[in-house]
């Protein structure tokens, strides 16, 4: 077996058994099948009134808007009775093929929905409204205007009966003003709602959080699939606001096939910096969420600014004790590419204010690739686990990071699994607050942990449990993996397992 093939076996094989309880995946999925048009087609041309068409429309109808026409709002989707969906689409939506992701280059095929800063959103939904699908629209603020939300699917303060449901944003270009930004692209406080095939950009604010997509008062299921998501604060976040529904945890969430990024022109140290210090935090954060699948995404560009530059945070937050039920649990993070970030993944077991009974538990981080973590981007920690997490399994990942592999502190963690990973040891490898690297940290902070079959280049075998490999100069060292050679070796496996196929597809894109 050659060196590359051995690397594959050691670094990317999935552990056959684990001492951790693995997460549940989403139990209910959003139905993304295109709705049938069983009623009328209502054409709204230049100078016509969309609000009048919305009042006239019945379930089963479609409202067709003209590309290039600017329709001035705001627009409110009213609650309707009956069966079927109401579709609001571009007359050129056939040119925006179903299943594709649109971008700014498609705006000539899109009508424009626009509103000024005196309004809460360009598009919002009445309490209890349901069964709307928006296809092929550009949604934006008026020039130079700042909006808190561009699309508001639920205000976030509705009681359970009034939560909107069955709402889909499909192949839309949603963007803030290039000069002043916007606080949020889409507020996703709903049941059976999705954002798919869309492009959300210029979501940014100075001194405040901003999100391309965020939800805190939507029970789910929710889907965010095949989008480009661009925001300064958190590109995508669930939790982070006070749920109006007692006991609510956003659940059954699919986050698949997205590209989450921040332009380098927002980074003060970059030569292309455009001069405005937008508040940059992280790429993806869960503060209150359950049964979440995060699969096949590219997450890139997170640096030290308003936070320390972690790309991903799984950090339960009970909002000052006002949501003691808040939890982050049953999360699967698999087959993703994370690159060019100050640090990798931060996992917080319990909220630091101590006023909540729930915690972060049952997280699986498997078959992901981490590239350019640290260095000029930040501190370079790959994983950080703080204060009493439960059943965290980190398996089959490969990394190029400049700092430690795992940093920990607080109360001990239960059910920790770290197997079949490949990463450089660097200075401290696996280290905790007040403990020496290696077995000392594992025994103190991770009692009963499974730590096996890892390839840790530059580490010392005498510091770690048996059953791991410590090459002095490994292909996964910080200078980089020869991914083309590695994937050529992988091609001898016919067919490739799904996880390895995804790994090579991501490597080719990088």
């Amino acid at each position: 077996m050659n060196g590359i093939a051995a690397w594959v076996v050691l670094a990317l094989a999935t552990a056959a058994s684990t001492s951790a309880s693995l997460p549940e995946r989403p139990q209910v999925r959003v139905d993304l099948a295109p709705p049938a048009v069983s009623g009328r087609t209502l054409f709204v041309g230049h100078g016509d009134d969309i609000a009048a068409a919305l009042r006239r429309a019945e379930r089963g109808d479609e409202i067709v808007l003209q590309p290039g026409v600017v329709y001035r709002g705001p627009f409110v989707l009213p609650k309707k009775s009956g069966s079927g969906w109401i579709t609001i689409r571009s007359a050129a939506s056939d040119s925006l093929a179903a299943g594709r992701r649109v971008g700014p280059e498609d705006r000539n095929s899109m009508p424009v929905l626009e509103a000024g800063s005196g309004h809460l959103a360009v598009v919002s939904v009445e309490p209890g409204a349901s069964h709307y699908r928006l296809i092929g629209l550009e949604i934006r603020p008026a020039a130079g205007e700042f909006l808190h939300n561009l699309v508001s699917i639920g205000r976030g303060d509705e009681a359970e009966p009034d939560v909107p449901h069955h709402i889909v944003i499909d192949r839309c270009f949603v963007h803030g003003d290039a000069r002043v930004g916007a606080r949020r692209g889409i507020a996703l406080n709903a049941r059976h709602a999705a954002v798919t095939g869309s492009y959300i950009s210029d979501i940014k604010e100075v001194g405040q959080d901003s999100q391309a997509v965020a939800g805190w008062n939507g029970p789910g299921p929710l889907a965010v699939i095949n989008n480009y998501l661009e925001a300064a604060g958190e590109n995508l976040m669930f939790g982070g606001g006070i749920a109006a529904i007692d006991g609510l945890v956003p659940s059954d969430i699919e986050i698949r096939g997205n590209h989450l990024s921040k332009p380098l022109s927002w980074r003060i140290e970059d030569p292309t910096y455009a001069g405005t210090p937008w508040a940059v935090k992280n790429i993806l954060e869960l503060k209150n969420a359950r049964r979440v699948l995060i699969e096949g995404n590219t997450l890139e560009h997170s640096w030290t600014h308003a936070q320390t530059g972690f790309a991903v945070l799984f950090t339960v937050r009970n909002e000052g004790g006002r949501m003691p039920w808040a939890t982050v649990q049953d999360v699967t993070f698999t087959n993703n590419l994370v690159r060019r970030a100050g640090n990798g993944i931060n996992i917080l077991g319990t909220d630091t204010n101590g006023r909540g009974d729930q915690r972060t538990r049952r997280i699986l981080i498997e078959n992901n690739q981490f590239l350019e973590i640290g260095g000029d981007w930040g501190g370079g920690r790959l994983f950080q686990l703080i204060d009493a997490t439960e059943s965290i399994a980190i398996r089959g990942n490969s990394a190029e990071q400049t700092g430690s592999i795992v940093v920990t502190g607080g109360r001990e963690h239960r059910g920790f699994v770290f197997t079949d990973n490949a990463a450089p040891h660097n200075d401290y490898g696996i280290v905790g607050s007040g403990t020496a690297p290696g077995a000392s940290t594992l025994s103190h902070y991770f009692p009963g942990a499974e730590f096996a079959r890892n390839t840790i280049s530059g580490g010392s075998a005498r510091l770690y449990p048996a059953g791991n490999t410590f090459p002095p100069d490994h292909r996964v060292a910080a200078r980089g993996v020869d991914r083309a050679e590695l994937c050529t070796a992988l091609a001898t496996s016919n067919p490739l397992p799904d996880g390895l196929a995804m790994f090579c597809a991501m490597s080719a894109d990088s």
Side-chain angles (χ1 to χ4, degrees):
M1 180 180 291
N2 63 35
I4 291 292
W7 190 94
V8 173
V9 172
L10 286 167
L12 295 176
T14 300
S17 63
T18 134
S19 57
S21 298
L22 294 180
E24 295 181 6
R25 293 203 172 195
Q27 296 177 350
V28 185
R29 302 181 68 180
V30 180
D31 184 0
L32 295 176
V37 177
S38 57
R40 301 165 297 172
T41 296
L42 307 177
F43 291 98
V44 182
H46 180 73
D48 292 341
D49 186 357
I50 293 181
L54 287 169
R55 289 192 295 270
R56 289 176 54 208
E58 299 176 355
R59 300 266 286 271
D61 292 348
E62 65 173 355
I63 298 173
V64 179
L65 310 180
Q66 299 307 303
V69 174
V70 177
Y71 299 88
R72 303 196 185 279
F75 307 97
V76 180
L77 308 184
K79 183 177 180 179
K80 302 277 185 174
S81 59
S83 61
W85 290 65
I86 295 176
T87 301
I88 305 170
R89 67 171 180 87
S90 168
S93 60
D94 287 348
S95 68
L96 309 173
R100 62 167 286 197
R101 180 193 301 166
V102 300
E105 67 276 8
D106 294 302
R107 63 196 316 173
N108 289 339
S109 298
M110 297 178 173
V112 177
L113 305 186
E114 180 180 286
S117 60
H119 305 289
L120 295 178
V122 180
V123 178
S124 60
V125 181
E126 276 189 356
S130 69
H131 292 87
Y132 284 93
R133 191 179 188 113
L134 280 59
I135 304 174
L137 312 178
E138 180 180 355
I139 301 172
R140 70 187 191 194
E145 300 279 3
F146 180 89
L147 286 176
H148 281 200
N149 296 292
L150 297 174
V151 179
S152 183
I153 306 175
R155 298 186 308 264
D157 60 0
E158 290 94 345
E160 176 72 31
D162 293 328
V163 170
H165 58 96
H166 293 85
I167 310 286
V168 176
I169 308 298
D170 184 8
R171 288 164 281 162
C172 291
F173 176 31
V174 180
H175 62 95
D177 181 81
R179 185 174 60 85
V180 302
R183 180 166 296 175
R184 189 171 297 111
I186 298 176
L188 198 60
N189 294 303
R191 294 185 287 113
H192 290 273
V195 182
T196 180
S198 294
Y199 191 104
I200 304 175
S201 61
D202 275 316
I203 309 302
K204 55 197 180 184
E205 189 171 358
V206 175
Q208 295 287 336
D209 277 14
S210 54
Q211 303 94 26
V213 177
W216 59 95
N217 195 53
L222 304 167
V224 182
I225 297 174
N226 188 32
N227 305 285
Y228 174 77
L229 305 178
E230 175 187 292
E234 302 87 7
N235 298 55
L236 177 59
M237 182 168 72
F238 289 99
I242 300 173
I245 301 170
D246 190 56
L248 182 135
V249 178
S251 301
D252 301 309
I253 302 170
E254 291 185 89
I255 302 167
R256 295 192 289 107
N258 302 285
H259 181 190
L260 296 85
S261 185
K262 305 179 194 295
L264 296 182
S265 59
W266 296 356
R267 188 181 181 213
I268 295 171
E269 298 84 1
D270 196 87
T272 65
Y273 177 57
T276 302
W278 310 111
V280 169
K281 287 195 169 182
N282 59 68
I283 302 174
L284 188 154
E285 184 166 10
L286 302 181
K287 293 185 175 183
N288 182 32
R290 177 173 52 210
R291 294 191 300 276
V292 184
L293 173 62
I294 306 164
E295 182 176 37
N297 305 280
T298 295
L299 304 93
E300 64 179 2
H301 298 165
S302 185
W303 54 86
T304 302
H305 186 219
Q307 282 184 346
T308 58
F310 275 95
V312 177
L313 287 86
F314 302 138
T315 53
V316 61
R317 296 296 185 185
N318 60 42
E319 303 305 317
R322 288 170 289 183
M323 290 172 48
W325 63 82
T327 184
V328 175
Q329 67 180 57
D330 296 306
V331 178
T332 302
F333 186 88
T334 183
N335 296 327
N336 300 289
L337 172 62
V338 182
R339 62 185 177 188
R340 301 167 193 153
N343 300 282
I345 298 181
N346 182 29
I347 306 175
L348 176 66
T350 57
D351 198 336
T352 50
N353 68 31
R355 290 181 286 175
D357 298 328
Q358 302 303 313
R359 60 185 60 203
T360 302
R361 52 166 61 93
R362 293 194 299 277
I363 311 292
L364 174 62
I365 301 168
E366 184 172 55
N367 288 348
N368 304 287
Q369 189 177 29
F370 297 84
L371 303 177
E372 298 179 61
I373 305 300
D376 292 340
W377 298 96
R381 295 180 176 186
L382 186 56
F383 301 108
Q384 178 170 283
L385 285 79
I386 304 295
D387 200 29
T389 65
E390 292 183 4
S391 294
I392 308 298
I394 301 174
R395 312 188 309 193
N397 303 283
S398 66
E400 301 171 2
Q401 93 287 348
T402 61
S404 298
I405 300 171
V406 176
V407 175
T408 188
R411 292 173 292 173
E412 66 183 28
H413 309 272
R414 296 290 181 177
F416 182 64
V417 171
F418 194 89
T419 56
D420 302 290
N421 302 289
H425 187 273
N426 298 324
D427 291 336
Y428 300 108
I430 314 295
V431 67
S433 177
T435 56
S440 174
T441 293
L442 289 167
S443 63
H444 181 82
Y445 284 104
F446 302 104
E450 181 181 355
F451 189 89
R453 300 179 303 283
N454 300 293
T455 300
I456 303 175
S457 59
S460 173
R462 65 180 179 81
L463 296 178
Y464 289 87
N468 298 282
T469 303
F470 300 88
D473 184 17
H474 199 268
R475 297 300 291 265
V476 78
R479 64 178 178 272
V481 175
D482 185 341
R483 291 180 291 279
E485 184 179 348
L486 187 151
C487 288
T488 298
L490 284 174
T492 60
S493 173
N494 188 18
L496 284 177
D498 289 345
L500 300 186
M502 178 69 74
F503 173 89
C504 283
M506 293 189 299
S507 297
D509 289 343
S510 68

